């Protein structure tokens, strides 16, 4: 009996050495504090925002909500839930949400998938929330939150211009020697695109002019008979500015502004780089109360194609006006090209005369016009004429008509209001693919401008 007791005691001691919890009461583990880590706290529009959650238990569900108010007081927000890994962390750049406003692994998903809850009559895809609040929820209870400030203007001097030209000139603080400058043109919505120009100037660190050509004080009210002298005057004005070179400029335009950028490059040899977001290499009529040219130079209009619509397009356009629903006009442009094939050559921009490099973004599925076809007109003409400078066409399936050109920004609003014809233009594409197009093209655009302007000027 004593021997059996001794053996049993030895077994207990061995178990205690191998498994300490066997011989003493287990001490309850202290749960870690769930923590939200967001960096950087201040970030330029288009630059990455890194979000990581730590201090969770393995397999625990954490929900992230991103929200912010735009310049009109509307709230934009997104939400996604994630399952923590074995180390108790969640990282949206690595992890796909198990549910939420987007799918798949996407570090920018919580930003492009934000949707608008209107609080005013003004709603625009050009929303500019100055701050985003990122909140962490577990089991419906908020555990942590951080605020990210979005920067539009990073160390830029600002000069408003309203005499010879109308626009806003932005100069990076650090520039101390003559540097190539940029001109930024909006599309058929008109006005001066200062915010877009500021983001471009902040990212490229190049002097940048947000130039108005209609729809602002001192300019024509509609996109009709716009003189190309507007661009010529802007180039001359820039050439006179301190620390701006006189013969090397880039021009960036979106939609009809892209058409204008391509046309300007065919006329003015000091333009050395063109970026066109969903542009046209074909000249179209103006946008106003009656048929008129869009562009003139030295008092003469450029040949153009008319907007033509079949009965179905006219019906859809009228319904969109009456009901306030989006109008997808791409099919009308295809119809116009078909019906005016004999006039196409005369209305095509003579880009072979340009001294510029070209980077165009034309997307299949563009809801406004067939920008893939209209951009390819320019690329084909450059190729046919053995253009000596670089040229490329980027195309993104379902990227739509690109109004948002940088990533980490909401792309869910797939329409914008066009006051000149009192209709909501449908952009086409999807929010996810528009975000993908912005993310992939943004760095390529910046690299293109640096390569074609700064290398050329050295």
């Amino acid at each position: 009996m004593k021997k059996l007791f001794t053996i049993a005691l030895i077994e207990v001691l061995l178990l205690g050495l191998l498994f300490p919890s066997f011989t003493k009461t287990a001490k309850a583990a202290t749960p870690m504090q769930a923590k939200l880590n967001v960096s950087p706290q201040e970030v330029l529009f288009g630059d990455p925002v890194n979000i990581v959650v730590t201090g969770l238990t393995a397999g625990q569900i954490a929900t992230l909500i991103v929200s912010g108010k735009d310049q009109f007081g509307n709230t934009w927000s997104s939400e996604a839930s994630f399952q923590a890994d074995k180390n108790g962390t969640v990282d949206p750049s690595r992890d796909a949400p198990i549910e939420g406003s987007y799918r798949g692994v996407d570090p920018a998903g919580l930003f492009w998938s934000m949707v608008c809850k209107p609080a005013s009559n003004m709603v625009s895809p050009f929303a500019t929330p100055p701050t985003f609040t990122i909140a962490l929820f577990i089991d419906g209870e908020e555990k942590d939150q951080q605020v990210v400030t979005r920067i539009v203007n990073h160390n830029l001097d600002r000069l408003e211009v309203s005499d010879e030209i109308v626009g806003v000139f932005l100069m990076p603080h650090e520039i101390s020697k003559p540097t190539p400058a940029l001109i930024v043109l909006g599309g058929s919505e008109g006005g001066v695109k200062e915010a877009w120009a500021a983001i471009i100037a902040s990212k490229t660190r190049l002097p940048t002019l947000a130039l108005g050509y209609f729809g602002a004080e001192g300019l024509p009210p509609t996109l009709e008979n716009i003189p190309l002298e507007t661009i010529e005057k802007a180039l001359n004005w820039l050439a006179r500015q301190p620390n701006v070179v006189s013969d090397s400029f880039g021009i960036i335009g979106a939609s009809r502004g892209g058409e204008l950028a391509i046309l300007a490059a065919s006329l003015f040899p000091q333009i050395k780089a063109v970026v066109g977001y969903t542009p046209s290499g074909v000249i179209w009529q103006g946008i106003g109360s009656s048929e008129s040219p869009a562009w003139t130079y030295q008092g003469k209009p450029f040949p153009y194609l008319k907007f033509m619509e079949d009965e179905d397009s006219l019906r859809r356009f009228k319904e969109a006006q009456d009901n306030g629903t989006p109008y997808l006009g791409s099919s009308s442009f295809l119809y116009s090209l078909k019906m005016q094939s004999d006039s196409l050559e005369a209305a095509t921009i003579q880009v072979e005369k340009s001294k510029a490099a070209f980077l165009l973004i034309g997307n299949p599925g563009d809801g406004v016009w067939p920008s893939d076809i209209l951009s390819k007109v320019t690329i084909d003409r450059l190729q046919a004429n053995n253009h000596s400078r670089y040229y490329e066409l980027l195309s993104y399936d379902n990227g739509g008509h690109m109004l948002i050109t940088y990533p980490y920004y909401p792309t869910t609003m797939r329409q914008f209001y066009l006051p000149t014809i009192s209709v909501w233009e449908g952009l086409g594409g999807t929010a996810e693919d528009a975000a993908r197009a912005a993310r992939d093209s943004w760095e390529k655009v910046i690299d293109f401008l640096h390569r074609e302007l700064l290398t050329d000027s050295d």
Side-chain angles (χ1 to χ4, degrees):
M1 185 73 176
K2 184 176 180 181
K3 183 178 180 181
L4 290 175
F5 176 80
T6 303
I7 293 173
L9 180 60
I10 292 172
E11 289 178 347
V12 169
L13 291 174
L14 286 173
L15 286 171
L17 290 172
L18 295 173
F19 305 101
S21 61
F22 185 85
T23 58
K24 59 184 178 181
T25 303
K27 190 173 182 180
T30 303
M32 294 178 65
Q33 181 69 37
K35 181 174 177 55
L36 178 63
N37 305 279
V38 180
S39 63
Q41 297 291 299
E42 292 187 349
V43 59
L44 180 67
F45 271 85
D47 281 358
V49 177
N50 303 303
I51 303 172
V52 177
V53 181
T54 58
L56 302 169
T57 58
Q60 191 171 17
I61 305 300
T63 299
L64 294 169
I65 297 178
V66 179
S67 61
K69 290 185 181 296
D70 66 19
Q71 67 271 40
F72 307 117
N74 305 308
T75 297
W76 293 73
S77 65
S78 63
E79 179 176 338
S81 296
F82 302 84
Q83 188 170 33
D85 66 8
K86 63 181 181 180
N87 297 315
T89 65
V90 163
D91 183 350
S93 70
R94 177 199 66 193
D95 306 327
I98 57 175
E99 62 178 354
S101 54
Y102 73 97
R103 297 180 179 180
V105 177
D106 190 338
L110 280 163
F111 296 92
W112 67 253
S113 66
M114 298 175 77
V115 295
C116 180
K117 183 179 181 181
S120 70
N121 292 328
M122 292 294 293
V123 180
S124 169
F126 298 109
T128 54
T131 61
F132 288 125
T133 299
I134 303 172
L136 168 65
F137 286 80
I138 298 175
D139 295 328
E141 181 181 352
E142 183 174 336
K143 295 295 185 180
D144 198 0
Q145 74 165 235
Q146 293 191 24
V147 175
V148 174
T149 300
R150 304 302 298 265
I151 301 170
V152 174
N153 182 318
H154 179 60
N155 294 333
L156 305 176
D157 291 323
R158 179 184 183 275
L159 175 65
E160 194 166 340
V161 188
S162 60
D163 46 7
E164 186 177 347
I165 55 175
V166 174
V168 175
F169 180 55
L170 302 157
M171 173 67 81
H173 290 174
E174 72 275 12
I175 291 181
S176 58
K177 66 177 183 178
T179 304
L182 304 174
I183 295 175
V184 173
L185 305 169
S188 54
E189 72 284 351
V192 176
K193 300 306 171 189
E194 180 180 353
W196 187 28
I199 294 168
I200 291 171
S202 296
K203 187 69 175 176
T204 62
R205 310 312 299 168
L206 295 174
T208 303
L209 173 67
L211 179 66
Y213 57 95
F214 86 99
E217 187 175 352
L219 294 173
T222 57
L223 203 167
E224 299 174 281
N225 294 296
I226 305 300
L228 265 291
E229 283 84 355
T230 299
I231 305 294
E232 191 171 36
K233 289 177 182 178
L235 293 169
N236 292 335
W237 184 90
L238 283 169
R240 296 196 300 271
Q241 303 311 304
N243 294 326
V244 173
V245 298
S246 61
D247 61 350
S248 183
F249 300 96
I251 188 164
I252 304 167
S255 193
R256 291 306 296 263
E259 177 186 321
L260 176 56
I262 296 170
L263 179 58
S266 74
L267 294 176
F268 307 124
Q270 58 268 54
I271 296 176
K272 296 299 196 299
V274 175
V275 175
Y277 284 96
T278 53
S280 173
V282 177
I283 300 173
W284 294 91
Q285 74 176 65
I287 302 176
S289 57
S290 60
E291 183 192 323
S292 59
W295 322 112
T296 69
Y297 186 56
Q298 297 178 347
K300 297 179 180 179
F302 290 89
Y304 61 87
L305 296 186
K306 302 176 184 178
F307 301 144
M308 301 181 70
E309 296 178 297
D310 56 17
E311 290 185 6
D312 180 62
S313 295
L314 287 170
R315 176 186 56 77
R316 290 187 295 105
F317 183 82
K318 186 65 167 59
E319 288 178 352
Q321 279 188 321
D322 293 343
N323 301 328
T325 52
Y327 173 70
L328 298 174
S330 189
S331 61
S332 298
F333 283 93
L334 291 172
Y335 178 75
S336 301
L337 288 170
K338 178 181 177 181
M339 297 302 293
Q340 299 171 94
S341 57
D342 291 344
S343 304
L344 180 58
E345 175 62 26
T348 297
I349 299 172
Q350 298 178 20
V351 286
E352 66 274 11
K353 296 181 178 180
S354 171
K355 302 298 183 183
F358 289 81
L359 181 61
L360 308 183
I361 299 119
N363 297 330
D366 188 327
V368 174
W369 61 9
S371 59
D372 55 337
I373 295 171
L374 297 175
S375 298
K376 194 171 183 298
V377 168
T378 289
I379 298 299
D380 288 347
R381 189 154 184 143
L382 291 170
Q383 185 174 22
N385 286 275
N386 297 314
H387 190 62
S388 61
R389 298 292 302 280
Y390 177 89
Y391 54 89
E392 183 180 4
L393 172 61
L394 303 176
S395 290
Y396 302 93
D397 289 340
N398 292 315
H401 199 69
M402 289 185 68
L403 298 183
I404 307 304
T405 61
Y406 34 85
Y408 291 85
Y409 195 89
T411 54
T412 53
M413 191 170 182
R414 309 305 303 151
Q415 61 190 49
F416 72 103
Y417 190 68
L418 194 56
T420 49
I421 53 176
S422 304
V423 76
W424 285 90
E425 287 266 18
L427 302 179
T430 67
E432 180 177 6
D433 289 311
R436 179 177 61 86
R439 184 178 179 184
D440 184 75
S441 63
W442 182 237
E443 292 298 334
K444 291 179 179 178
V445 166
I446 303 306
D447 289 346
F448 168 81
L449 292 170
H450 284 164
R451 181 180 71 246
E452 299 300 331
L453 293 176
L454 296 180
T455 303
D456 189 61
S457 66
D458 289 343

